[in-house]
Amino acid sequence: MNIKEVSDRSGLPAKTIRYYEDIGLVRPLRAENGYRAFREQDVHKLAFLGRARALGFSIDDCRTLLALYQDNRRESAHVKAVAEDHLRQIDEKIAQLDAMRNTLAHLVRACHGDDRPDCPILEDLADPPARGS
Amino acid sequence: MNIKEVSDRSGLPAKTIRYYEDIGLVRPLRAENGYRAFREQDVHKLAFLGRARALGFSIDDCRTLLALYQDNRRESAHVKAVAEDHLRQIDEKIAQLDAMRNTLAHLVRACHGDDRPDCPILEDLADPPARGS
DNA sequence: TATAGGGCTTCCAGTAACTGGAAGCTCAAC
DNA sequence: GTTGAGCTTCCAGTTACTGGAAGCCCTATA
């Protein structure tokens, strides 16, 4: 199977698939003409990677998850730990973004947004009112 | 004023301040010994940048905001547009993360997390149930 | 006065995960 | 035989820094 078909079936760009080979996530065979020759298992692996990436797992996590997937003596606790850790990171990120969002939304609401220069957004950036106290 | 003091007062690492000079966000003077010589306005600018970055604005947005800040013939509409655009991007990002979070939390709850290999997380990554329909 | 230290300088490389593009080989079709 | 699509490799660029090396500068102390 050539790379284009694998790309279509796994949903990953050909560039990404080559990159994943580069960093050792997949090891397709090679045909005599030098073309990559993918097997079903390669497509399966790539689809797995695509889904893990879509859940936000890092490439490094993906490597771990893939290894666990292929190890049938794995302990599900190990998988769960990786996922929980990632979940915590997502929660942190969301909290961070929520905080930004709140401040920003507040500022945007306060700004007239007309042809005059007065702007609470810039004023806050230049010299924010002390928080708390 | 030397870089260390500016770093302390603006809250930005010295490395970052040098980087900001590199990309033209600040232009401190130079002392005869080659050391950067920062003025009050430089510190002010850097603090502005630090706050804009903390709100998640890109360096490019920061450049724009700084220019608007320094242009007293600006229209607040321009500033507001930049901020609203950024707000939209934050909202998108949050939505994305929320979706990930939901799927992931669901999978984590379903996983026993013991010493056995059976794992709904891996099963889902390997072969997810069709969505919708 | 010699030296030790800490602060400052520049420059290079690395990070994460790709993505774009150039140069060039291969293959199928007309 | 030639065209065009598909494949190959390799290099550079993206974002916003960050770490580290090599080396100058300044101050204080012995």
Side-chain angles (χ1 to χ4, degrees):
Chain A
M1 199 179 334
N2 283 350
I3 201 165
K4 181 69 183 324
E5 189 181 342
V6 177
S7 167
D8 289 344
R9 287 184 48 196
S10 67
L12 296 172
K15 274 278 190 191
T16 299
I17 296 172
R18 289 195 196 99
Y19 173 67
Y20 284 176
E21 183 188 11
D22 255 24
I23 61 174
L25 284 177
V26 276
R27 306 192 179 283
L29 304 175
R30 289 290 174 144
E32 290 193 355
N33 58 11
Y35 285 20
R36 288 170 184 80
F38 295 87
R39 292 151 293 178
E40 282 302 322
Q41 46 165 304
D42 296 318
V43 180
H44 189 69
K45 233 181 190 177
L46 287 165
F48 180 104
L49 288 169
R51 283 184 290 264
R53 291 288 299 130
L55 285 180
F57 285 106
S58 69
I59 290 286
D60 230 47
D61 282 345
C62 288
R63 209 183 288 278
T64 303
L65 291 172
L66 208 46
L68 286 169
Y69 178 56
Q70 292 171 326
D71 171 14
N72 39 21
R73 296 201 328 266
R74 70 183 163 255
E75 302 179 9
S76 67
H78 194 164
V79 181
K80 188 168 184 171
V82 171
E84 276 176 334
D85 211 76
H86 179 45
L87 193 50
R88 263 188 297 279
Q89 286 177 39
I90 289 180
D91 281 339
E92 265 178 47
K93 191 85 195 168
I94 289 176
Q96 226 180 65
L97 287 174
D98 265 335
M100 286 181 188
R101 209 212 97 85
N102 287 343
T103 305
L104 203 53
H106 178 75
L107 292 174
V108 163
R109 268 195 305 277
C111 177
H112 288 296
D114 54 23
D115 58 354
R116 289 169 301 170
D118 320 81
C119 176
I121 301 170
L122 292 180
E123 278 163 27
D124 186 273
L125 289 173
D127 187 16
R131 272 293 199 176
S133 86
Chain B
M1 198 180 333
N2 282 350
I3 201 165
K4 180 73 183 321
E5 189 181 342
V6 178
S7 168
D8 289 344
R9 288 182 48 195
S10 68
L12 295 173
K15 275 278 190 188
T16 300
I17 296 172
R18 290 195 196 98
Y19 172 67
Y20 285 176
E21 183 188 10
D22 255 24
I23 61 173
L25 284 178
V26 276
R27 306 191 180 284
L29 304 175
R30 289 290 173 144
E32 289 193 356
N33 58 12
Y35 286 19
R36 288 170 182 80
F38 295 88
R39 293 151 293 179
E40 282 301 323
Q41 47 165 305
D42 296 319
V43 180
H44 190 69
K45 233 181 187 177
L46 286 165
F48 181 104
L49 288 169
R51 284 185 288 265
R53 292 287 299 131
L55 285 181
F57 285 105
S58 70
I59 290 286
D60 228 47
D61 282 346
C62 288
R63 209 184 288 278
T64 303
L65 291 172
L66 207 48
L68 287 169
Y69 178 57
Q70 292 171 325
D71 172 13
N72 40 19
R73 295 201 330 266
R74 70 183 161 256
E75 302 179 9
S76 66
H78 193 163
V79 181
K80 187 168 184 169
V82 171
E84 278 176 330
D85 211 76
H86 179 44
L87 192 50
R88 262 189 297 279
Q89 285 176 40
I90 289 181
D91 282 338
E92 265 178 47
K93 191 84 194 169
I94 290 176
Q96 228 179 65
L97 287 173
D98 266 335
M100 284 181 189
R101 210 212 98 84
N102 287 343
T103 305
L104 204 52
H106 179 75
L107 291 175
V108 164
R109 268 194 306 277
C111 177
H112 287 296
D114 55 24
D115 57 355
R116 287 169 302 170
D118 319 82
C119 176
I121 301 170
L122 292 180
E123 278 162 27
D124 187 272
L125 289 173
D127 187 17
R131 270 296 197 175
S133 87

